[in-house]
Amino acid sequence: MTEVREPHTVAVVGAGAAGTLTAVQLCETATRRRTPLELVLIDPAPEAGRGTAYATRDPRHRLNVPAGGMSCYPDEPDHFTRWLCRHGEPAVTGADFATRYRFGAYLADTLAQAVVRAQGTVRVRRLRTRAESCAGTPDGRVDLRLADGGHLTADSAVLATGPAAPSATWAPPALRAAARFVAAPWTIGALDGPLADTADVLLVGTGLTAVDLALTLDRPGRTMHALSRSGLLPQPHALTPAGPMSPPEDLDDISLGRLRRSVYRHISRSVRTHGDWRPALDSLRPHTARLWHSLTPEDRAEFLAREGTLWNTHRHRMAPATAEWVSRARTARRLGVHTGTVTDAVEHDGSLVVTLSNGRTLHVGWVIDCTGPGRHLDDPLWGSLFASGAAVAGPLGMGVATRDGRLLDAEGRAERPLFTLGAPRRGELWETTAIPEIRVQAAALAGQLLAPPTRRQRPSRRPVDGHGLALSTHAEAAAAYRSGLNRVLKVRTGAEDAFARAVALDPGFALGHAALALLGHECGAAVDVPRALAEAQRSARERADERERSFVDVITRRVHDDAGDEALVRHLDAHPADALALAAAVPTIAFSGVTDLDGDQALTLVERTSPAYDGHWFHTSLLAFLRQEQGRLHEAGELAHRALALEPSSGHAVHALAHVHYESGAHEAGRDWLDAWVSGQGRGAVHRAHFSWHIALHELALDDPAAVRRRWFAQLAPGRVVTGVRALVDSGSLLWRARLSDSWRGELPAADVLDTVARDVLERPATAFTALHAAVALAAAGDLPALHRLRDHAAGADEVQREVIAPLCEAFAALVEERFHEAAHGLDALLPVLRRVGGSAAQREVVEETLLYALVAAGRCDAARRLLDIRLDRKEAPRDRRLRAGLPA
């Protein structure tokens, strides 16, 4: 009899940023762990995600953290910037400051997507009301009483209520009673009065709230006054951020005095090193909660009194555009900043006469409370918890006392399933109101609330892949994964769909996500690579064995270009039977391979893994390909035929045999055999265009321009037949080679190739191999500006791109500008190191053919003749014979 698991019910009170982030993490954690969950969001707001902070529609209100720091996911830092790129801002970068309203839309959309992905595991309800009280139940649950008269019983509740409301205790009684005093400026309609006239305004507070309201209320004829005890405005973010800085080493178990001296020394070092204090302060951010916790209550109180304001103005900064407006407004005297407090206010003739502690008197139409959140949580819900002893005030009376986010009662116990995050934990953590801190707390809470069930014993058997390696998933997802793996090894279509089906069946299957990330990164599959990679990492942390965790780490490093090649080789040393890892390591038709391996090292790697495969067709196919790279063509041909006898659709074996035919000069036999395979077994090949490219190479070598054109339009034309990187690598390079050998008459349709490739792929390619072919296609199109942008990208990319691709772009640019001597010199110097970009000798040969063209165009016919002799010694080709015969003496 199948056990039915009752869903765990979690109530999230508050659907602003903190509540939305919690709901997102709960949905995704429950889905990944296959834990039934009923999620109830309680908030009267019309839309989740906005709260007070992100409901403003004023486009001048910008985030005070760059977009690169505002992702919903702590382990997926560019998620927000990628969302912006998909939603109308393609040029945005992580250093840009998005509008607050835009970020609210992002939060709402991210939650909606998480809910959709969680269907079948998570049931989500939204109650448009407020929770007004909370009490425990006899069975250890919680009962929430709602403002609409209803109630909700939940297994646990997360109180994501945001900051405490401002109390305006600073204001004299006469001011609090005045009609022209705005105590809660962010409530709907609160600013209708100040917006309707041009009377002067006093903003009490000089923090970020005051700056935002000054932006909104600024208009001709109005003077705005900002007042605070310190008179300090927030500092601006740097226009060009300096590099990161390591935190000080002497931060453990020290007093406030020593900590103060250490931080000031650290800031001085930052100014000397970077010319900026900001890197020093930013380097402290991951350690702030620990440092705060290490201080005594007396030290914390002293810090708040002496450095609290100074910390806030430097830590919570303005966007550069906002800071520029503030500077202009102050210079034009539209904004004045005062130091002091309000001591009295008198209504007079439809305005307010406000007396300040410095003796100055201001005549203003409105006074607006911009002092920010209060220190004490005093709404009805928190009031009920404090009254019953279920919650107590946090350190220094700020927020609420918690332990790892769980509320402590009056006895210091964490017994009730009540949790909170964000601003209510300020007394415990100090820095806890910004998205980078709240998202980490949300992820931790989700893991805590949906802890995986403990199993008394590990299942005796797990499903395996096609090579006997265990998979941490169930049988159905394992079957889909095996299908995808088999298709990758055969180089056939459908692998992406099969892996996607595996993770749909088991969202917590780490290998399935990692395989998708690999296909997206290496093969241009339609995969959100950062998302798939993040899911792989999360799943691996929760449910994976050592081999699976190692593979996820390999793919992570490979995508991020962080010692991925070394990690992949180490992984194969420990797990030689991991066929997907071996496929990724060997440069073939499917993957670019380990770029640091030369042919002999790659062969050693394949031979070292041989005992794990016992003559399997896949391993034999890889060996055949590497043998032909060594020039051992006869042996390679025998191995390829042996593999094809076992598996006629093995794309790697076919690919190896295609190279054998080409490198041995058997052009007619190679053309006919491969043409027959493409029309038969090759119909389902994922890289069918590449096999067609091989056939076209034979036709090019046979000096048959008409056949090349027919092949190109029938099987290689971009858009209709081939798209993306495949069009760049195959269609673009073939066009260029045809033009170089005078085998393409008329206009070269290179623009068609560029139109089917994303601009990022052309100008900011992830791999040197793709960059090589991007340079070829851009040269064929004569696009010098794009060639220069590609060069600039390569100059700041990985070592191979810096040392090979950047000078290659220079040589191609010289060719386009008909500086043929320079082009020939640059290309000739690159031939010895060209192997580092990966790919096959036949693919890299395009550079040699470009050199030949440059030599002839430069009038260096003797050098061109020598190069042609070398090529003809390698393999016979009627086209090269014709080119040599046409050279002048």
Side-chain angles (χ1 to χ4, degrees):
M1 184 173 178
T2 304
E3 180 184 358
V4 178
R5 296 173 64 183
E6 288 294 325
H8 185 90
T9 301
V10 177
V12 177
V13 180
T20 299
L21 291 171
T22 303
V24 167
Q25 292 291 344
L26 284 168
C27 285
E28 299 201 350
T29 302
T31 303
R32 198 163 50 245
R33 296 178 178 178
R34 303 199 296 275
T35 301
L37 170 67
E38 180 170 2
L39 175 61
V40 186
L41 286 172
I42 305 171
D43 194 300
E47 184 181 6
R50 296 204 177 277
T52 299
Y54 309 114
T56 171
R57 290 181 176 271
D58 192 328
R60 294 165 295 185
H61 292 174
R62 297 195 169 269
L63 300 172
N64 61 309
V65 174
M70 294 295 287
S71 168
C72 285
Y73 302 97
D75 52 0
E76 201 175 342
D78 63 345
H79 189 262
F80 179 42
T81 54
R82 289 187 288 113
W83 183 91
L84 288 171
C85 289
R86 292 194 303 269
H87 291 80
E89 299 183 47
V92 73
T93 70
D96 293 328
F97 290 81
T99 65
R100 293 184 179 278
Y101 193 80
R102 213 60 177 121
F103 185 71
Y106 161 70
L107 287 173
D109 187 59
T110 302
L111 175 58
Q113 295 297 323
V115 170
V116 169
R117 288 192 296 269
Q119 285 181 353
T121 303
V122 181
R123 179 187 174 215
V124 180
R125 286 193 291 150
R126 177 76 191 280
L127 303 181
R128 294 278 302 278
T129 185
R130 297 184 185 278
E132 294 200 329
S133 68
C134 178
T137 66
D139 58 355
R141 305 170 82 195
V142 292
D143 186 72
L144 293 163
R145 298 287 174 177
L146 308 178
D148 61 6
H151 72 95
L152 172 72
T153 302
D155 294 295
S156 52
V158 178
L159 309 184
T161 55
S167 60
T169 54
W170 56 267
L175 178 59
R176 286 201 298 270
R180 287 180 169 264
F181 175 59
V182 181
W186 296 118
T187 57
I188 296 175
L191 295 179
D192 289 350
L195 288 170
D197 60 35
T198 59
D200 291 353
V201 172
L202 172 61
L203 307 170
V204 180
T206 56
L208 292 168
T209 297
V211 170
D212 278 347
L213 289 174
L215 280 162
T216 296
L217 297 173
D218 184 29
R219 62 204 56 235
R222 165 174 283 169
T223 300
M224 293 170 293
H225 304 274
L227 170 74
S228 71
R229 293 178 185 275
S230 67
L232 296 176
L233 288 167
Q235 291 291 313
H237 281 278
L239 280 172
T240 304
M245 187 175 182
S246 299
E249 296 181 356
D250 52 341
L251 291 180
D252 293 325
D253 300 322
I254 58 177
S255 66
L256 177 61
R258 289 181 57 196
L259 177 60
R260 184 184 289 123
R261 290 190 294 272
S262 178
V263 169
Y264 277 117
R265 284 196 302 268
H266 185 53
I267 290 172
S268 297
R269 283 194 298 270
S270 179
V271 172
R272 290 194 304 270
T273 305
H274 300 283
D276 191 354
W277 51 266
R278 295 170 184 83
L281 212 61
D282 294 342
S283 72
L284 297 174
R285 185 167 190 168
H287 310 280
T288 304
R290 177 175 60 83
L291 293 172
W292 178 258
H293 184 73
S294 70
L295 297 177
T296 65
E298 294 76 17
D299 280 347
R300 293 181 191 177
E302 182 183 343
F303 169 79
L304 288 179
R306 290 185 54 181
E307 281 96 11
T309 299
L310 193 63
W311 170 270
N312 284 330
T313 56
H314 286 75
R315 169 66 185 79
H316 302 284
R317 305 193 280 270
M318 294 184 282
T322 304
E324 183 182 353
W325 175 87
V326 168
S327 178
R328 290 200 308 267
R330 296 188 72 182
T331 301
R333 299 183 182 276
R334 299 197 315 275
L335 175 64
V337 180
H338 309 278
T339 301
T341 60
V342 175
T343 59
D344 193 17
V346 177
E347 291 190 80
H348 176 72
D349 226 10
S351 64
L352 290 167
V353 180
V354 181
T355 304
L356 307 184
S357 58
N358 59 13
R360 183 170 181 176
T361 300
L362 299 176
H363 293 260
V364 296
W366 303 89
V367 176
I368 303 177
D369 186 353
C370 302
T371 55
R375 295 182 63 163
H376 308 292
L377 298 163
D378 56 2
D379 67 2
L381 174 61
W382 286 108
S384 75
L385 292 170
F386 289 133
S388 66
V392 294
L396 303 179
M398 295 190 297
V400 61
T402 66
R403 181 183 301 135
D404 297 327
R406 191 164 186 166
L407 267 61
L408 298 178
D409 61 19
E411 303 296 325
R413 300 169 301 186
E415 292 190 341
R416 291 190 186 180
L418 289 171
F419 303 83
T420 191
L421 75 166
R425 298 184 67 185
R426 188 164 176 244
E428 176 194 2
L429 303 175
W430 175 236
E431 283 289 347
T432 181
T433 58
I435 295 297
E437 283 75 35
I438 295 174
R439 67 191 180 192
V440 172
Q441 296 173 31
L445 271 185
Q448 187 176 352
L449 291 169
L450 301 174
T454 56
R455 301 186 179 185
R456 295 186 179 181
Q457 61 180 34
R458 191 178 183 85
S460 57
R461 295 187 62 183
R462 287 188 291 162
V464 296
D465 67 4
H467 300 270
L469 298 178
L471 301 173
S472 296
T473 187
H474 53 71
E476 293 82 1
Y481 178 82
R482 283 193 298 270
S483 173
L485 177 60
N486 194 42
R487 290 174 181 275
V488 168
L489 302 187
K490 289 180 180 178
V491 199
R492 297 189 74 77
T493 57
E496 176 192 338
D497 292 339
F499 290 137
R501 187 166 64 254
V503 297
L505 290 166
D506 180 4
F509 182 25
L511 278 190
H513 291 295
L516 282 171
L518 177 63
L519 292 188
H521 176 67
E522 290 269 341
C523 308
V527 174
D528 185 342
V529 174
R531 180 70 184 170
L533 199 59
E535 290 288 2
Q537 294 165 340
R538 295 164 194 152
S539 300
R541 287 194 293 267
E542 294 185 353
R543 170 167 44 96
D545 61 21
E546 188 277 330
R547 194 266 306 188
E548 293 167 318
R549 288 193 298 272
S550 173
F551 184 80
V552 170
D553 178 65
V554 163
I555 303 306
T556 301
R557 291 173 179 272
R558 196 170 179 85
V559 169
H560 294 154
D561 191 33
D562 180 20
D565 289 351
E566 295 90 337
L568 181 51
V569 172
R570 289 195 303 270
H571 176 84
L572 283 168
D573 286 340
H575 310 284
D578 193 331
L580 185 55
L582 184 60
V586 180
T588 60
I589 186 175
F591 299 105
S592 60
V594 176
T595 56
D596 287 343
L597 294 181
D598 59 29
D600 292 337
Q601 291 171 316
L603 180 63
T604 300
L605 182 63
V606 172
E607 289 177 336
R608 201 162 65 227
T609 59
S610 180
Y613 292 89
D614 192 25
H616 190 275
W617 58 264
F618 165 66
H619 192 273
T620 304
S621 300
L622 290 184
L623 192 57
F625 183 80
L626 292 174
R627 288 292 187 224
Q628 66 81 24
E629 283 277 282
Q630 286 184 300
R632 296 161 65 172
L633 301 179
H634 180 73
E635 185 180 351
E638 287 187 344
L639 287 167
H641 283 298
R642 188 188 309 166
L644 287 168
L646 295 171
E647 178 49 71
S649 60
S650 170
H652 287 301
V654 173
H655 191 216
L657 202 53
H659 279 277
V660 169
H661 285 137
Y662 182 72
E663 300 299 343
S664 63
H667 298 301
E668 291 182 349
R671 175 196 62 194
D672 296 342
W673 180 85
L674 191 53
D675 204 9
W677 184 85
V678 166
S679 302
Q681 288 284 350
R683 286 178 182 169
V686 69
H687 297 300
R688 195 163 180 240
H690 187 67
F691 294 116
S692 297
W693 175 81
H694 270 282
I695 302 171
L697 282 192
H698 287 305
E699 293 168 338
L700 203 58
L702 290 167
D703 212 15
D704 189 350
V708 172
R709 288 178 70 93
R710 286 195 302 271
R711 183 77 55 186
W712 196 88
F713 283 110
Q715 298 177 359
L716 288 161
R720 294 187 298 106
V721 182
V722 192
T723 59
V725 175
R726 198 77 265 168
L728 188 67
V729 171
D730 296 325
S731 309
S733 67
L734 180 68
L735 272 183
W736 183 239
R737 292 168 86 146
R739 176 184 173 181
L740 294 175
S741 60
D742 201 25
S743 297
W744 190 283
R745 302 290 183 180
E747 184 180 355
L748 200 70
D752 295 345
V753 175
L754 301 184
D755 288 344
T756 192
V757 183
R759 186 54 55 175
D760 277 359
V761 174
L762 283 171
E763 298 180 10
R764 293 184 290 277
T767 66
F769 177 76
T770 304
L772 164 65
H773 288 87
V776 167
L778 292 171
D783 192 340
L784 275 172
L787 257 177
H788 291 150
R789 289 192 292 270
L790 174 60
R791 174 204 59 197
D792 294 342
H793 161 78
D798 59 83
E799 182 180 346
V800 179
Q801 292 206 49
R802 290 196 305 271
E803 297 180 2
V804 182
I805 300 302
L808 183 71
C809 290
E810 293 279 9
F812 274 127
L815 190 77
V816 172
E817 293 179 326
E818 299 186 355
R819 294 182 281 114
F820 297 118
H821 283 285
E822 292 179 42
H825 178 76
L827 294 169
D828 188 47
L830 289 170
L831 287 185
V833 297
L834 201 58
R835 188 169 196 146
R836 296 175 65 192
V837 304
S840 67
Q843 289 171 317
R844 298 189 298 269
E845 195 178 50
V846 67
V847 177
E848 185 183 72
E849 294 185 353
T850 307
L851 170 61
L852 178 62
Y853 178 86
L855 289 171
V856 174
R860 297 175 56 189
C861 296
D862 287 342
R865 188 177 293 106
R866 287 193 297 273
L867 181 56
L868 281 167
D869 287 341
I870 293 171
R871 287 166 60 86
L872 287 166
D873 284 344
R874 262 197 331 251
K875 59 177 176 285
E876 180 59 37
R879 179 199 54 181
D880 284 359
R881 290 283 177 197
R882 172 178 63 82
L883 292 174
R884 191 185 188 288
L887 289 174

